[in-house]
């Protein structure tokens, strides 16, 4: 039985094609019948801040209003953090500071908001970084600290180094591909421990990355990202049909055992266990 606890990992700018070719550990979990794999089509514009909000609220940019990276304000929607707290669950995040600006405080106060513990806020315990090159290895260590010390029911993890290398070197670069390999290695060190603790796991991305070293448009490389799910509530097979990114929030609600918001679309993702 599921413990109705979830760790959601959003690897910034991890495009579907590279995830399939370079995430050997994740593919190993697929082949061993532990994880389901999907292809997700993101909303547009395929930019970070709008899609953080889409993933966490289940609403498109035209509804939630975060239509570009320059829109700096708190969310007006019911996020997974809000819904989890309302259901009596505990929340945490190890993430880029834009996530704090969406759900805890905007604008981000560098001297105050870096470490947020035991807060009466949607994200109860948050560790937020504000440099794109902040090491993913440090972020996963902080996520492990949150698991060990705070034992959250819902933990959101958001590493940035894949996006950073994509912008610096393009998606068609050794650096981008090697960074995806490094991310896969971090997942190999942490996911088995978290799965043993009874967590369901989602690994996905906000958007992809192009050979121009950018994103925001309507191409497959901009929009198509992976979705890996480790849960007894989902059949551990490769699904061939493309899934809307609007399914991510209601899927998370399903795994957490909480009611989705009225703004979320119905959960129609294939492969759910009855």
């Amino acid at each position: 039985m599921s413990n109705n606890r979830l760790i959601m990992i959003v690897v910034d700018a991890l495009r579907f094609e590279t995830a399939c070719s370079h995430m050997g550990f994740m593919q190993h979990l697929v082949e061993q019948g532990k994880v389901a794999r999907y292809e997700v089509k993101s909303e547009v514009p395929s930019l970070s801040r709008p899609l953080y909000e889409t993933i966490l609220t289940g609403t498109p940019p035209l509804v939630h209003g975060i239509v570009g990276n320059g829109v700096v304000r708190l969310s007006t929607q019911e996020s997974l953090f809000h819904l989890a707290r309302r259901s009596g669950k505990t929340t945490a995040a190890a993430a880029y500071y834009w996530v704090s600006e969406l759900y805890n405080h905007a604008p981000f106060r560098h001297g105050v908001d870096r470490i947020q513990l035991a807060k009466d806020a949607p994200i109860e315990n948050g560790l937020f970084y504000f440099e794109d090159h902040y090491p993913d290895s440090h972020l996963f260590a902080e996520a492990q600290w949150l698991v060990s010390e705070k034992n959250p029911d819902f933990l959101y993890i958001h590493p940035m180094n894949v996006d950073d290398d994509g912008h610096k070197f393009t998606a068609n670069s050794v650096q981008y591909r090697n960074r995806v390999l490094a991310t896969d290695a971090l997942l190999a060190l942490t996911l088995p421990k978290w799965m043993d603790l009874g967590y369901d796991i989602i690994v996905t991305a906000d958007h992809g990355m192009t050979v121009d070293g950018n994103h925001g448009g309507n191409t497959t490389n901009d929009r198509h990202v992976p979705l890996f799910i480790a849960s007894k509530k989902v059949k551990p097979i490769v699904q061939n049909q493309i899934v809307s990114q609007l399914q991510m929030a209601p899927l998370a609600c399903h795994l957490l055992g909480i009611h989705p918001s009225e703004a979320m679309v119905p959960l129609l993702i294939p492969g759910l266990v009855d």
Side-chain angles (χ1 to χ4, degrees):
M1 293 292 292
S2 170
N3 290 327
N4 293 330
R5 299 201 300 164
L6 174 66
I7 295 177
M8 174 183 278
I9 303 166
V10 176
V11 182
D12 208 288
L14 175 62
R15 68 180 190 174
F16 178 75
E17 178 186 76
T18 312
C20 292
S21 62
H22 281 68
M23 300 192 93
F25 174 70
M26 296 307 299
Q27 181 59 29
H28 174 63
L29 293 180
V30 173
E31 293 180 1
Q32 292 298 308
K34 300 296 183 182
V35 165
R37 193 187 80 196
Y38 298 77
E39 182 173 357
V40 171
K41 185 176 183 179
S42 81
E43 290 294 295
V44 281
S46 49
L47 297 170
S48 294
R49 198 188 295 255
L51 298 186
Y52 302 164
E53 175 79 332
T54 289
I55 289 170
L56 286 162
T57 68
T59 57
L62 194 60
V63 172
H64 61 59
I66 308 294
V67 293
N69 287 340
V71 181
V72 181
R73 61 163 172 77
L74 286 172
S75 172
T76 61
Q77 305 296 306
E78 292 184 301
S79 73
L80 294 173
F81 298 114
H82 293 88
L83 296 170
R85 289 295 308 273
R86 190 177 305 149
S87 298
K89 293 183 178 292
T90 55
T91 61
Y96 196 55
Y97 74 103
W98 288 0
V99 176
S100 175
E101 288 184 324
L102 282 168
Y103 307 111
N104 275 18
H105 186 275
F108 187 80
R109 301 162 296 182
H110 291 68
V112 177
D113 295 337
R114 167 84 169 91
I115 299 173
Q116 302 179 42
L117 302 177
K119 294 291 185 179
D120 183 16
I123 304 173
E124 282 182 274
N125 294 292
L127 301 175
F128 300 102
Y129 62 97
F130 46 84
E131 299 285 357
D132 291 14
H133 58 271
Y134 185 77
D136 287 352
S137 58
H138 291 42
L139 184 74
F140 273 86
E142 290 165 355
Q144 179 58 53
W145 184 87
L146 287 168
V147 170
S148 300
E149 299 300 319
K150 299 300 180 179
N151 193 31
D153 296 307
F154 175 53
L155 171 61
Y156 179 85
I157 305 172
H158 172 230
M160 184 66 79
N161 291 171
V162 171
D163 181 79
D164 190 40
D165 280 351
H167 285 304
K168 290 176 178 175
F169 306 108
T170 83
N172 190 26
S173 68
V174 171
Q175 292 88 345
Y176 180 82
R177 293 188 293 270
N178 282 346
R179 185 60 66 184
V180 174
L181 287 171
T183 301
D184 186 65
L186 289 170
L187 294 171
L189 290 174
T190 51
L191 258 57
K193 299 176 185 177
W194 296 340
M195 292 164 68
D196 286 345
L197 290 173
Y199 280 101
D200 286 349
I201 306 289
I202 289 175
V203 179
T204 188
D206 48 352
H207 51 72
M209 180 65 65
T210 71
V211 297
D212 296 330
N214 218 327
H215 53 84
N218 190 36
T219 71
T220 297
N221 287 336
D222 282 288
R223 298 186 68 179
H224 287 231
V225 301
L227 169 63
F228 298 96
I229 308 171
S231 172
K232 293 182 179 179
K233 295 181 179 181
V234 180
K235 297 175 183 177
I237 60 176
V238 174
Q239 295 285 350
N240 293 319
Q241 55 267 62
I242 296 172
V243 174
S244 166
Q245 194 172 53
L246 296 176
Q247 291 287 304
M248 297 305 97
L251 169 64
C253 289
H254 178 69
L255 299 182
L256 284 166
I258 62 178
H259 293 294
S261 73
E262 293 183 1
M264 292 179 187
V265 299
L267 180 59
L268 300 174
I269 190 167
L272 298 181
V273 176
D274 294 331

